[in-house]
PDB file of all heavy atoms in Angstrom:
ATOM      1  N   TYR T 289     -38.386  61.309 -39.365  1.00 92.00           N
ATOM      2  CA  TYR T 289     -39.757  61.073 -39.954  1.00 92.00           C
ATOM      3  C   TYR T 289     -39.615  60.773 -41.484  1.00 92.00           C
ATOM      4  O   TYR T 289     -39.904  61.542 -42.273  1.00 92.00           O
ATOM      5  CB  TYR T 289     -40.516  62.457 -39.788  1.00 92.00           C
ATOM      6  CG  TYR T 289     -41.029  62.682 -38.381  1.00 92.00           C
ATOM      7  CD1 TYR T 289     -40.136  63.312 -37.509  1.00 92.00           C
ATOM      8  CD2 TYR T 289     -42.181  62.101 -37.817  1.00 92.00           C
ATOM      9  CE1 TYR T 289     -40.465  63.454 -36.169  1.00 92.00           C
ATOM     10  CE2 TYR T 289     -42.497  62.288 -36.466  1.00 92.00           C
ATOM     11  CZ  TYR T 289     -41.694  62.926 -35.649  1.00 92.00           C
ATOM     12  OH  TYR T 289     -41.950  63.044 -34.313  1.00 92.00           O
ATOM     13  N   ILE T 290     -39.158  59.522 -41.738  1.00 89.00           N
ATOM     14  CA  ILE T 290     -38.821  59.185 -42.966  1.00 89.00           C
ATOM     15  C   ILE T 290     -40.063  59.012 -44.022  1.00 89.00           C
ATOM     16  O   ILE T 290     -39.936  59.123 -45.158  1.00 89.00           O
ATOM     17  CB  ILE T 290     -38.017  57.900 -43.108  1.00 89.00           C
ATOM     18  CG1 ILE T 290     -38.594  56.784 -42.294  1.00 89.00           C
ATOM     19  CG2 ILE T 290     -36.589  58.097 -42.706  1.00 89.00           C
ATOM     20  CD1 ILE T 290     -37.815  55.495 -42.172  1.00 89.00           C
ATOM     21  N   PHE T 291     -41.244  58.687 -43.414  1.00 89.00           N
ATOM     22  CA  PHE T 291     -42.436  58.661 -44.354  1.00 89.00           C
ATOM     23  C   PHE T 291     -43.312  59.883 -44.268  1.00 89.00           C
ATOM     24  O   PHE T 291     -44.493  59.859 -44.666  1.00 89.00           O
ATOM     25  CB  PHE T 291     -43.333  57.445 -43.857  1.00 89.00           C
ATOM     26  CG  PHE T 291     -42.681  56.104 -44.109  1.00 89.00           C
ATOM     27  CD1 PHE T 291     -42.603  55.123 -43.149  1.00 89.00           C
ATOM     28  CD2 PHE T 291     -41.884  55.867 -45.413  1.00 89.00           C
ATOM     29  CE1 PHE T 291     -41.962  53.844 -43.330  1.00 89.00           C
ATOM     30  CE2 PHE T 291     -41.396  54.693 -45.532  1.00 89.00           C
ATOM     31  CZ  PHE T 291     -41.355  53.627 -44.602  1.00 89.00           C
ATOM     32  N   GLY T 292     -42.669  60.998 -43.721  1.00 88.00           N
ATOM     33  CA  GLY T 292     -43.594  62.243 -43.421  1.00 88.00           C
ATOM     34  C   GLY T 292     -44.097  62.288 -42.014  1.00 88.00           C
ATOM     35  O   GLY T 292     -44.036  61.226 -41.323  1.00 88.00           O
ATOM     36  N   LYS T 293     -44.616  63.382 -41.669  1.00 89.00           N
ATOM     37  CA  LYS T 293     -44.992  63.584 -40.243  1.00 89.00           C
ATOM     38  C   LYS T 293     -46.430  63.688 -40.074  1.00 89.00           C
ATOM     39  O   LYS T 293     -47.116  64.500 -40.797  1.00 89.00           O
ATOM     40  CB  LYS T 293     -44.245  64.832 -39.731  1.00 89.00           C
ATOM     41  CG  LYS T 293     -44.069  64.846 -38.252  1.00 89.00           C
ATOM     42  CD  LYS T 293     -43.193  65.962 -37.827  1.00 89.00           C
ATOM     43  CE  LYS T 293     -43.009  66.079 -36.385  1.00 89.00           C
ATOM     44  NZ  LYS T 293     -42.123  67.166 -35.935  1.00 89.00           N
ATOM     45  N   HIS T 294     -46.985  62.953 -39.125  1.00 89.00           N
ATOM     46  CA  HIS T 294     -48.388  63.212 -38.649  1.00 89.00           C
ATOM     47  C   HIS T 294     -49.554  62.876 -39.754  1.00 89.00           C
ATOM     48  O   HIS T 294     -50.629  63.353 -39.611  1.00 89.00           O
ATOM     49  CB  HIS T 294     -48.602  64.540 -38.158  1.00 89.00           C
ATOM     50  CG  HIS T 294     -47.723  64.863 -36.935  1.00 89.00           C
ATOM     51  ND1 HIS T 294     -47.389  63.806 -35.976  1.00 89.00           N
ATOM     52  CD2 HIS T 294     -47.095  66.093 -36.602  1.00 89.00           C
ATOM     53  CE1 HIS T 294     -46.678  64.465 -34.972  1.00 89.00           C
ATOM     54  NE2 HIS T 294     -46.534  65.724 -35.418  1.00 89.00           N
ATOM     55  N   GLY T 295     -49.128  62.094 -40.734  1.00 90.00           N
ATOM     56  CA  GLY T 295     -50.042  61.847 -41.885  1.00 90.00           C
ATOM     57  C   GLY T 295     -51.400  61.081 -41.155  1.00 90.00           C
ATOM     58  O   GLY T 295     -52.536  61.514 -41.523  1.00 90.00           O
ATOM     59  N   GLY T 296     -51.136  60.218 -40.350  1.00 92.00           N
ATOM     60  CA  GLY T 296     -52.379  59.427 -39.697  1.00 92.00           C
ATOM     61  C   GLY T 296     -53.099  60.339 -38.764  1.00 92.00           C
ATOM     62  O   GLY T 296     -54.354  60.331 -38.743  1.00 92.00           O
ATOM     63  N   LYS T 297     -52.396  61.160 -38.049  1.00 92.00           N
ATOM     64  CA  LYS T 297     -53.084  62.086 -37.224  1.00 92.00           C
ATOM     65  C   LYS T 297     -53.962  63.143 -37.940  1.00 92.00           C
ATOM     66  O   LYS T 297     -55.128  63.276 -37.565  1.00 92.00           O
ATOM     67  CB  LYS T 297     -51.978  62.974 -36.422  1.00 92.00           C
ATOM     68  CG  LYS T 297     -52.458  63.430 -35.077  1.00 92.00           C
ATOM     69  CD  LYS T 297     -51.398  64.236 -34.388  1.00 92.00           C
ATOM     70  CE  LYS T 297     -50.942  63.587 -33.076  1.00 92.00           C
ATOM     71  NZ  LYS T 297     -49.839  63.988 -32.529  1.00 92.00           N
ATOM     72  N   ASN T 298     -53.419  63.662 -39.082  1.00 92.00           N
ATOM     73  CA  ASN T 298     -54.036  64.503 -39.823  1.00 92.00           C
ATOM     74  C   ASN T 298     -55.306  63.830 -40.464  1.00 92.00           C
ATOM     75  O   ASN T 298     -56.413  64.440 -40.572  1.00 92.00           O
ATOM     76  CB  ASN T 298     -53.254  65.145 -41.010  1.00 92.00           C
ATOM     77  CG  ASN T 298     -52.218  66.024 -40.347  1.00 92.00           C
ATOM     78  OD1 ASN T 298     -52.278  66.432 -39.393  1.00 92.00           O
ATOM     79  ND2 ASN T 298     -51.109  66.225 -41.093  1.00 92.00           N
ATOM     80  N   LEU T 299     -55.231  62.561 -40.982  1.00 93.00           N
ATOM     81  CA  LEU T 299     -56.302  61.852 -41.513  1.00 93.00           C
ATOM     82  C   LEU T 299     -57.445  61.731 -40.485  1.00 93.00           C
ATOM     83  O   LEU T 299     -58.646  61.803 -40.866  1.00 93.00           O
ATOM     84  CB  LEU T 299     -55.747  60.457 -42.010  1.00 93.00           C
ATOM     85  CG  LEU T 299     -56.873  59.552 -42.598  1.00 93.00           C
ATOM     86  CD1 LEU T 299     -57.299  60.131 -43.967  1.00 93.00           C
ATOM     87  CD2 LEU T 299     -56.286  58.129 -42.781  1.00 93.00           C
ATOM     88  N   ALA T 300     -57.021  61.335 -39.249  1.00 94.00           N
ATOM     89  CA  ALA T 300     -58.102  61.192 -38.267  1.00 94.00           C
ATOM     90  C   ALA T 300     -58.804  62.506 -38.070  1.00 94.00           C
ATOM     91  O   ALA T 300     -60.035  62.497 -37.843  1.00 94.00           O
ATOM     92  CB  ALA T 300     -57.332  60.782 -36.992  1.00 94.00           C
ATOM     93  N   GLU T 301     -58.043  63.584 -38.027  1.00 93.00           N
ATOM     94  CA  GLU T 301     -58.753  64.818 -37.794  1.00 93.00           C
ATOM     95  C   GLU T 301     -59.695  65.134 -39.040  1.00 93.00           C
ATOM     96  O   GLU T 301     -60.816  65.577 -38.744  1.00 93.00           O
ATOM     97  CB  GLU T 301     -57.725  65.981 -37.765  1.00 93.00           C
ATOM     98  CG  GLU T 301     -57.388  66.257 -36.263  1.00 93.00           C
ATOM     99  CD  GLU T 301     -56.126  67.129 -36.135  1.00 93.00           C
ATOM    100  OE1 GLU T 301     -55.763  68.003 -37.166  1.00 93.00           O
ATOM    101  OE2 GLU T 301     -55.334  66.973 -35.135  1.00 93.00           O
ATOM    102  N   ASP T 302     -59.262  64.959 -40.217  1.00 92.00           N
ATOM    103  CA  ASP T 302     -60.146  65.130 -41.390  1.00 92.00           C
ATOM    104  C   ASP T 302     -61.411  64.412 -41.287  1.00 92.00           C
ATOM    105  O   ASP T 302     -62.440  64.860 -41.602  1.00 92.00           O
ATOM    106  CB  ASP T 302     -59.389  64.714 -42.612  1.00 92.00           C
ATOM    107  CG  ASP T 302     -58.381  65.712 -43.007  1.00 92.00           C
ATOM    108  OD1 ASP T 302     -58.120  66.749 -42.299  1.00 92.00           O
ATOM    109  OD2 ASP T 302     -57.408  65.388 -43.935  1.00 92.00           O
ATOM    110  N   TYR T 303     -61.383  63.229 -40.689  1.00 92.00           N
ATOM    111  CA  TYR T 303     -62.493  62.265 -40.813  1.00 92.00           C
ATOM    112  C   TYR T 303     -63.292  62.424 -39.441  1.00 92.00           C
ATOM    113  O   TYR T 303     -64.282  61.827 -39.226  1.00 92.00           O
ATOM    114  CB  TYR T 303     -62.120  60.904 -40.997  1.00 92.00           C
ATOM    115  CG  TYR T 303     -62.129  60.584 -42.555  1.00 92.00           C
ATOM    116  CD1 TYR T 303     -60.920  60.816 -43.226  1.00 92.00           C
ATOM    117  CD2 TYR T 303     -63.155  60.168 -43.179  1.00 92.00           C
ATOM    118  CE1 TYR T 303     -60.931  60.511 -44.507  1.00 92.00           C
ATOM    119  CE2 TYR T 303     -63.213  59.907 -44.433  1.00 92.00           C
ATOM    120  CZ  TYR T 303     -62.010  60.059 -45.168  1.00 92.00           C
ATOM    121  OH  TYR T 303     -62.033  59.749 -46.492  1.00 92.00           O
ATOM    122  N   GLY T 304     -62.739  63.254 -38.368  1.00 93.00           N
ATOM    123  CA  GLY T 304     -63.345  63.311 -37.174  1.00 93.00           C
ATOM    124  C   GLY T 304     -63.358  61.930 -36.426  1.00 93.00           C
ATOM    125  O   GLY T 304     -64.383  61.580 -35.789  1.00 93.00           O
ATOM    126  N   ILE T 305     -62.196  61.304 -36.608  1.00 94.00           N
ATOM    127  CA  ILE T 305     -62.014  59.884 -36.007  1.00 94.00           C
ATOM    128  C   ILE T 305     -61.011  60.010 -34.900  1.00 94.00           C
ATOM    129  O   ILE T 305     -59.997  60.523 -35.068  1.00 94.00           O
ATOM    130  CB  ILE T 305     -61.809  58.903 -37.069  1.00 94.00           C
ATOM    131  CG1 ILE T 305     -62.827  58.601 -38.023  1.00 94.00           C
ATOM    132  CG2 ILE T 305     -61.241  57.602 -36.433  1.00 94.00           C
ATOM    133  CD1 ILE T 305     -62.531  57.779 -39.258  1.00 94.00           C
TER     134      ILE T 305
END
Side-chain angles (χ1 to χ4, degrees):
Y289 290 88
I290 47 186
F291 294 133
K293 202 169 177 179
H294 298 327
K297 206 180 242 169
N298 295 338
L299 180 69
E301 267 167 29
D302 289 350
Y303 275 84
I305 293 171

